[in-house]
Amino acid sequence: MAGTDDAVAAGDDALYVLTAVLLTPAKFPSVLGDDYPEACGALGLPPLADGYGLVLGQDGAGARWTVVIDDVSLVAVAIASWDCGMEYELSPDERTVVSALPGWPLALSVSAPGVPDPHDPEHDPEIMDGPPLTPPNTETWGPAQRRLGADEIALQWASWREQIDDGAFLTDDTGDASDAEGADGTNADSPDADSKAAPTTTDSGDAVTANTSGSDTEAQSSRAPHAGIRRVLAEVRAYVDSPPPLGR
């Protein structure tokens, strides 16, 4: 997290920086959308290939602001420094500021000292095109909560995978006794088994195999393909025909 002495220009007031996040095709707050264009759309931004940096803070009156800048490298360095416990003064050049959006798109539990508690700025039609940004609702099940759940699974997957011993799922190439024994208890190597499996021949020499499971064959032929499988295959083909959006 940046120190509260860090500030960037937001209109005529200074912004006390609380944190910053990346909004790029490779890394973006997934709670805002399933892919990069959708996350940009939540903020009313065009999905530029290079992405943005989002600087979240408060002005001198305590109002929440999100400053969007196009200096992605600066924000990336700041985040990496804070993650290492190092101080880093995030002060973007005014020429890199794309827009200053009222509100926060993400929930923050911190605030700047010495200023009023975080609140939405008063509506000013000259600088606000719409209502202030608000974090997605994650209290009830919905797209935002689903994406958060997927992120948690991705974070924990490696540790879960380490708990599984692949050796427990390996099969013996030589098989076991149950494989060598038929369903009726007859050993596959016995003459009786061969006589059951061997086809009979007609006077013309054509081989004819006895159908000992006609009911099973009829059941399989009458079974309709699963609708879910057809849907998944159709979606896979769609990804081949039209590549997914950036960041998905």
Side-chain angles (χ1 to χ4, degrees), residues 4 113 150 165 170:
T4 53
D165 182 9
L170 295 179

Side-chain angles (χ1 to χ4, degrees), residues 60 112-116:
V115 299

Side-chain angles (χ1 to χ4, degrees), residues 15-19 55-59 62-67 103-104 108:
L15 183 77
Y16 296 92
V17 178
L18 297 178
T19 190
V55 181
L56 282 65
Q58 295 175 262
D59 62 18
R64 308 181 186 95
W65 288 92
T66 298
V67 177
W104 292 338
L108 298 183

Side-chain angles (χ1 to χ4, degrees), residues 27-240:
K27 188 173 180 63
F28 58 89
S30 62
V31 71
L32 298 179
D34 285 333
D35 50 49
Y36 172 65
E38 187 176 349
C40 290
L43 305 180
L45 300 172
L48 298 182
D50 293 336
Y52 307 92
L54 305 180
V55 181
L56 282 65
Q58 295 175 262
D59 62 18
R64 308 181 186 95
W65 288 92
T66 298
V67 177
V68 183
I69 66 174
D70 57 15
D71 192 344
V72 177
S73 299
L74 178 65
V75 174
V77 171
I79 294 174
S81 300
W82 299 336
D83 288 343
C84 294
M86 302 170 57
E87 293 185 2
Y88 190 90
E89 183 177 350
L90 178 57
S91 299
D93 191 292
E94 292 185 10
R95 292 172 296 182
T96 67
V97 175
V98 176
S99 62
L101 305 175
W104 292 338
L106 305 173
L108 298 183
S109 58
V110 295
S111 60
V115 299
D117 293 337
H119 60 274
D120 290 335
E122 295 182 2
H123 182 71
D124 186 346
E126 294 184 1
I127 60 175
M128 298 182 188
D129 295 332
L133 300 174
T134 57
N137 181 17
T138 58
E139 297 299 325
T140 58
W141 179 256
Q145 195 176 74
R146 170 180 56 79
R147 290 188 287 261
L148 288 177
D151 289 343
E152 185 64 22
I153 292 174
L155 289 174
Q156 301 294 335
W157 180 256
S159 61
W160 293 342
R161 187 65 181 84
E162 291 174 356
Q163 301 175 21
I164 300 177
D165 182 9
D166 291 337
F169 299 94
L170 295 179
T171 57
D172 188 355
D173 293 338
T174 59
D176 53 22
S178 62
D179 295 333
E181 188 173 335
D184 57 355
T186 305
N187 190 287
D189 295 333
S190 67
D192 292 340
D194 292 339
S195 64
K196 291 182 179 180
T200 60
T201 59
T202 63
D203 294 338
S204 60
D206 297 333
V208 177
T209 303
N211 183 5
T212 59
S213 59
S215 59
D216 294 340
T217 303
E218 293 176 359
Q220 292 179 2
S221 61
S222 62
R223 184 181 302 164
H226 195 282
I229 296 178
R230 293 199 302 268
R231 179 179 61 82
V232 171
L233 292 175
E235 292 180 357
V236 171
R237 295 190 188 98
Y239 268 77
V240 175

